[in-house]
Amino acid sequence: MSLPIPKLRLCLSYSMSKFYPFLPNPSSFSSFHLHYHSQPPSPDHDNVHDVVSQFRSMFHMRPVPPILAFGQILGSLTRMKHYSTTISLFKQMELNGIKSHLVILSIVINCFCHLGQMPFSFSILAMILKRGYHPNVITLSTLMKGLCLNGEVKKALIFHDKVVAQGFLLNEFSYGTLINGLCKIGETEAAIKLLRIIEGGLCKSNVVMYATIIDSLFKDNLAKEAYHLLIKMMSNNIMPDVYIYNIMIDALCKEGKIKEAKNALGVMVKACVKPDIVTFNTLMDGYFLVSQVQSAKHIFNAMTQIGVTANVISYNIMINGLCKSKTVDEAMNLFQEMHKRNMVPNTVTYTTLIDALCKSGRIADVWDLIDEMHDRNQQLDVITYNCLIHALCQNYHIDKAFELFKTMMEKGIQPSMYTWNILIDGMCRGGRLEKAQETFQDLLIKGYPLNVHSYTIMINGLCKKGLLDEALTLWSKMEDNGCLPNAVTFEIMITALFGKDESDKAEAFLHEMIFRGLLTR
């Protein structure tokens, strides 16, 4: 992807036609007036209500307060993310004959951008130009960020080229926004090219630009390129910050290179860059990934000694790691510790514990946690329901599983494919093969993304009942639908065929399994 950047022009022109096709047509501008005039502010708490009342009372003051006072209130509402309220008050201000200056108009552009209303954002740019104001770097950067936030990165690049061609000088924030937008859509190479152009003289590159690209390279599994870019950054006298160290530590942990990740922490400390909660959470997760439970505990206990306070994510990582290590009681102790620290567990915390308790057969404790979730207004999600439904099916409580499934649906929580797989497997295990087949066929007809696990469950259910012909028919349908059997599917089929003394067919499947690389000789 090429990024042609026109040379700066010395003469400035603020004609609206220069920004075509970004500026809307007159009818679009009129729709802005109509649409937002008809929408009243929607304050959602008393503080906002007071601010809105104060703002409106200012219309009737004599003399009218300076425009700066109006701008301060609108800026405050925007920082509180009350974008629609800000826009509505801006419109009321204009209707009362109080003309906005560039700062307020830029605030309104920002609000429209966050609401995904880019045509209205450019309507405000048209207003800026019509009133003779010169858009500044904040205004233009906000528009580019809005385009990127709304998935229009290529339009942001075109807009960049147009404003630069008109002689506007953009800054590090502007280019950081474009680089971030490119990385978000997977155009990491284009982001690197843009960085090179920036370093050619457009503005000064900074650690944020490099961090964004380095993170993207690691996510693209291009670790070598990421390290090369890191070296280049340091050669430009830009030192890594905590964010870049966290990116590297995370990448190393995910590769299982926990020793190297710990060394990176050492380098970080020697460079006088203080680790933050993300650093320690990442390391704990890494240690659990390689089953070094004691080391994870050490990190958890040690971070408080250097003034870093564990958060809910820290506890979730520890509780999840301990549950996977089959030390559920320790996980429950940490859960109780959260309560003592007045820390509110979230849905992830509860779901992790519920899953572990279900798997260890402690169903009574599970329902206590469910009650606590309700008391704390923590909502069960599809993963929580899957844990519960799976536990019921494993214990052959199929009717209760379907009751819970019905409750989940009534609450508007859509089942995942994993939910359906649990239920089909439960029906097969619980002697309801015909119902399982009916459900499976219904999902197939409705176009659900049945996966290899779905087919394997159904084939296993048929084989267990000795219905090999039906299992073979389903096998053919599976492959016709582009879903390839895995090693487990082959093993189920081969075992069933040998059990029925159909050795020739079993050996044919065995050879096919070897041919596909699912079994080595």
Side-chain angles (χ1 to χ4, degrees):
M1 177 179 177
S2 60
L3 296 169
I5 310 295
K7 293 180 179 179
L8 296 179
R9 296 181 185 176
L10 296 176
C11 59
L12 298 181
S13 169
Y14 300 102
S15 165
M16 285 190 283
S17 62
K18 298 292 183 183
F19 290 98
Y20 179 84
F22 297 95
L23 300 182
N25 58 39
S27 62
S28 172
F29 191 62
S30 299
S31 69
F32 152 68
H33 282 263
L34 292 170
H35 182 67
Y36 277 95
H37 178 52
S38 63
Q39 285 192 348
S42 52
D44 55 10
H45 53 71
D46 292 338
N47 185 36
V48 175
H49 181 76
D50 292 342
V51 170
V52 171
S53 297
Q54 179 191 347
F55 190 91
R56 286 174 174 161
S57 68
M58 289 163 63
F59 298 148
H60 309 292
M61 293 180 184
R62 293 295 178 268
V64 175
I67 193 69
L68 178 64
F70 290 96
Q72 286 174 337
I73 292 177
L74 294 178
S76 173
L77 286 167
T78 303
R79 285 190 293 275
M80 294 161 68
K81 300 184 179 180
H82 293 287
Y83 305 121
S84 295
T85 302
T86 303
I87 292 165
S88 180
L89 291 180
F90 157 75
K91 189 69 194 104
Q92 291 175 39
M93 189 178 78
E94 290 276 317
L95 290 171
N96 276 274
I98 302 167
K99 294 296 180 186
S100 306
H101 55 30
L102 181 60
V103 173
I104 289 179
L105 293 170
S106 296
I107 287 170
V108 176
I109 284 175
N110 185 39
C111 290
F112 278 125
C113 287
H114 277 94
L115 293 171
Q117 299 281 354
M118 291 312 298
F120 289 137
S121 293
F122 281 99
S123 291
I124 302 298
L125 176 60
M127 186 184 288
I128 288 171
L129 298 169
K130 191 173 181 180
R131 292 182 181 181
Y133 293 123
H134 293 178
N136 60 23
V137 67
I138 296 172
T139 311
L140 297 172
S141 297
T142 301
L143 283 163
M144 285 194 293
K145 185 177 181 181
L147 288 167
C148 290
L149 283 173
N150 290 284
E152 298 183 293
V153 179
K154 291 182 180 178
K155 281 189 180 181
L157 290 167
I158 295 167
F159 182 69
H160 160 272
D161 292 352
K162 286 185 178 292
V163 299
V164 170
Q166 294 305 309
F168 291 98
L169 294 174
L170 301 175
N171 61 13
E172 291 90 341
F173 176 78
S174 316
Y175 288 106
T177 296
L178 287 175
I179 285 172
N180 184 60
L182 286 166
C183 289
K184 284 283 193 295
I185 62 169
E187 293 284 358
T188 312
E189 188 179 340
I192 294 170
K193 287 180 182 177
L194 179 56
L195 179 63
R196 288 175 188 152
I197 293 167
I198 291 165
E199 292 178 332
L202 285 177
C203 73
K204 191 176 180 181
S205 58
N206 61 25
V207 69
V208 176
M209 296 179 192
Y210 276 98
T212 304
I213 297 173
I214 288 168
D215 184 40
S216 188
L217 286 168
F218 275 122
K219 286 175 179 173
D220 293 342
N221 296 316
L222 298 170
K224 187 177 178 182
E225 290 83 350
Y227 289 122
H228 283 162
L229 191 62
L230 178 64
I231 293 166
K232 185 177 186 300
M233 180 189 86
M234 295 173 73
S235 70
N236 289 339
N237 293 317
I238 301 172
M239 293 299 108
D241 61 2
V242 64
Y243 182 59
I244 287 186
Y245 279 110
N246 287 346
I247 291 168
M248 288 192 294
I249 290 169
D250 181 59
L252 290 166
C253 285
K254 283 175 178 172
E255 290 176 19
K257 297 177 179 177
I258 195 69
K259 185 178 179 181
E260 289 87 342
K262 191 177 178 181
N263 290 340
L265 175 63
V267 172
M268 181 180 183
V269 173
K270 284 181 183 177
C272 297
V273 178
K274 186 180 177 181
D276 62 10
I277 188 62
V278 176
T279 319
F280 290 109
N281 286 348
T282 304
L283 275 171
M284 284 190 296
D285 215 13
Y287 276 121
F288 278 122
L289 189 66
V290 294
S291 302
Q292 294 185 24
V293 178
Q294 292 304 318
S295 296
K297 289 182 188 177
H298 174 74
I299 292 289
F300 182 76
N301 294 324
M303 65 179 172
T304 54
Q305 297 173 12
I306 63 167
V308 179
T309 305
N311 59 15
V312 175
I313 296 171
S314 314
Y315 277 93
N316 285 350
I317 290 168
M318 286 298 298
I319 288 170
N320 183 56
L322 290 169
C323 287
K324 286 183 176 176
S325 303
K326 311 296 184 186
T327 50
V328 182
D329 287 332
E330 277 192 70
M332 288 297 290
N333 289 339
L334 274 182
F335 177 70
Q336 295 304 325
E337 186 180 304
M338 290 179 78
H339 289 316
K340 289 174 186 175
R341 291 185 54 191
N342 294 320
M343 189 178 287
V344 180
N346 59 19
T347 302
V348 175
T349 323
Y350 285 106
T351 301
T352 303
L353 285 168
I354 287 166
D355 183 49
L357 290 167
C358 284
K359 286 175 179 173
S360 58
R362 294 163 61 174
I363 305 300
D365 292 334
V366 169
W367 297 117
D368 288 341
L369 281 181
I370 296 292
D371 290 339
E372 186 178 317
M373 283 185 79
H374 287 307
D375 292 342
R376 288 177 171 266
N377 201 29
Q378 291 288 336
Q379 302 301 315
L380 281 71
D381 61 13
V382 66
I383 300 171
T384 322
Y385 277 106
N386 284 348
C387 295
L388 295 167
I389 292 168
H390 184 261
L392 290 168
C393 287
Q394 287 291 304
N395 288 284
Y396 303 101
H397 299 308
I398 310 301
D399 290 330
K400 287 184 179 179
F402 271 100
E403 282 176 24
L404 196 59
F405 176 76
K406 185 181 176 183
T407 301
M408 181 182 88
M409 295 287 283
E410 286 171 352
K411 288 183 178 290
I413 300 170
Q414 292 302 310
S416 63
M417 200 58 241
Y418 184 62
T419 319
W420 288 113
N421 288 345
I422 292 168
L423 287 168
I424 292 167
D425 187 47
M427 286 184 278
C428 289
R429 287 168 174 267
R432 304 186 189 184
L433 184 62
E434 288 184 8
K435 179 65 177 173
Q437 284 179 285
E438 184 184 315
T439 303
F440 187 90
Q441 288 301 322
D442 188 50
L443 292 172
L444 202 60
I445 291 165
K446 288 178 178 176
Y448 274 78
L450 296 171
N451 52 30
V452 63
H453 189 48
S454 315
Y455 281 99
T456 302
I457 288 168
M458 201 64 246
I459 287 169
N460 185 52
L462 292 166
C463 287
K464 291 285 185 188
K465 283 289 183 179
L467 302 172
L468 266 64
D469 289 339
E470 290 186 45
L472 289 167
T473 301
L474 187 57
W475 182 291
S476 299
K477 189 178 289 186
M478 174 185 185
E479 295 203 315
D480 290 342
N481 290 337
C483 186
L484 297 178
N486 60 18
V488 176
T489 328
F490 271 100
E491 286 168 11
I492 289 167
M493 202 73 244
I494 291 165
T495 302
L497 287 166
F498 274 126
K500 285 283 186 177
D501 292 327
E502 296 195 33
S503 301
D504 290 344
K505 285 184 180 180
E507 287 177 9
F509 269 94
L510 186 60
H511 288 304
E512 180 65 22
M513 189 180 179
I514 295 167
F515 176 75
R516 295 191 188 191
L518 297 173
L519 181 70
T520 54
R521 288 182 184 273

